């Protein structure tokens, strides 16, 4: 092989490596921008950046296959009214209100087209379009699970309702819930 041929092959390999590197960095930036703190959480959970990125890309593919749809104006109004009732219920029965908040949030998710049978899968699905508020779901749901196993401090219950409200507002497309 001539030295000119070797140089051409080396240059071609370097160009291919550079193209692949740029593509990987571009994908990484897109995932970081879309998933925000969920990207960091996935990397920490997986312990491997490439595996985490593959997981996040799989979440995107899964959610693209779902029939996620916005709520009608009437549905939003109905859900807002139900949310108001839950907040009022909190004064007299905070544990009940937290459970009702979870039920309402999952009802909204279901009407929007999210499958709600597996809470971990729900969180993964939500992370694709609701990365800013998916951690609110995780935190509130952890408190809700504690309610079923015994007494929970009222402040923790209040925090759960606040977390559910953040996700609820995001699912409805609101800046904040009343």
């Amino acid at each position: 092989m001539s030295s000119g041929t070797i140089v051409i092959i080396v240059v071609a390999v370097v160009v291919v490596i550079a193209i692949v590197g740029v593509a990987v960095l571009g994908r990484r930036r897109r995932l970081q921008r879309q998933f925000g703190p969920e990207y960091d959480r996935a990397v920490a959970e997986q312990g491997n950046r490439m595996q985490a990125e593959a997981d996040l890309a799989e979440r995107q593919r899964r959610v693209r296959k779902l029939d996620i749809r916005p709520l009608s104006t009437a549905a939003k109004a109905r859900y807002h009214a139900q949310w108001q009732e839950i907040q009022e219920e909190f004064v007299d029965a905070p544990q009940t209100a937290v459970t009702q908040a979870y039920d309402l949030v999952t009802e909204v998710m279901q009407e929007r087209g999210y499958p709600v049978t597996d809470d971990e899968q729900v969180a993964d699905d939500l992370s694709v379009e609701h990365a800013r508020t998916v951690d609110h779901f995780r935190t509130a749901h952890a408190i809700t699970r504690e309610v079923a196993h015994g007494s929970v401090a009222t402040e923790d219950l209040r925090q759960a309702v606040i977390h559910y409200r953040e996700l609820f507002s995001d699912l409805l497309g609101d800046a904040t819930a009343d």
Side-chain angles (χ1 to χ4, degrees):
M1 222 187 273
S2 73
S3 61
T5 304
I6 293 173
V7 168
I8 290 173
I9 291 171
V10 169
V11 168
V13 167
V14 168
V15 167
V16 168
I17 290 171
I19 290 171
V20 168
V22 167
V24 167
L25 285 175
R27 177 182 178 205
R28 180 168 293 156
R29 286 188 184 117
R30 281 189 306 279
L31 289 170
Q32 286 173 326
R33 206 173 22 255
Q34 178 178 356
F35 286 94
E38 184 68 10
Y39 177 91
D40 296 329
R41 182 185 178 285
V43 170
E45 189 175 275
Q46 293 287 336
N48 177 310
R49 185 175 301 277
M50 292 192 57
Q51 181 61 40
E53 290 172 356
D55 177 56
L56 294 172
E58 177 55 35
R59 291 181 196 186
Q60 289 174 318
R61 281 189 291 279
R62 175 181 157 73
V63 169
R64 268 195 301 267
K65 293 177 185 175
L66 300 175
D67 181 25
I68 306 299
R69 55 202 171 275
L71 296 171
S72 68
T73 304
K76 285 182 182 183
R78 184 178 75 250
Y79 287 131
H80 274 291
Q82 288 177 279
W83 185 261
Q84 196 62 39
E85 290 173 14
I86 289 169
Q87 290 187 139
E88 291 169 7
E89 176 76 17
F90 185 85
V91 174
D92 294 322
Q95 289 183 341
T96 301
V98 167
T99 302
Q100 289 173 343
Y102 170 77
D103 292 344
L104 182 60
V105 165
T106 57
E107 183 181 335
V108 170
M109 286 187 280
Q110 195 165 21
E111 185 168 336
R112 297 251 352 248
Y114 289 98
V116 295
T117 54
D118 174 1
D119 288 320
E120 269 310 306
Q121 187 63 58
V122 167
D124 286 352
D125 292 347
L126 285 173
S127 72
V128 175
E129 294 180 2
H130 303 279
R132 183 181 63 79
T133 54
V134 69
D135 235 13
H136 289 289
F137 174 76
R138 286 189 180 106
T139 302
H141 188 255
I143 295 168
T144 304
R145 283 192 310 259
E146 289 178 30
V147 168
H149 297 4
S151 66
V152 178
T154 303
E155 177 57 22
D156 291 337
L157 297 169
R158 188 181 75 79
Q159 287 299 316
V161 170
I162 289 169
H163 287 297
Y164 281 133
R165 182 179 63 204
E166 289 298 318
L167 176 59
F168 176 80
S169 295
D170 195 25
L171 287 166
L172 265 62
D174 297 341
T176 58
D178 293 334

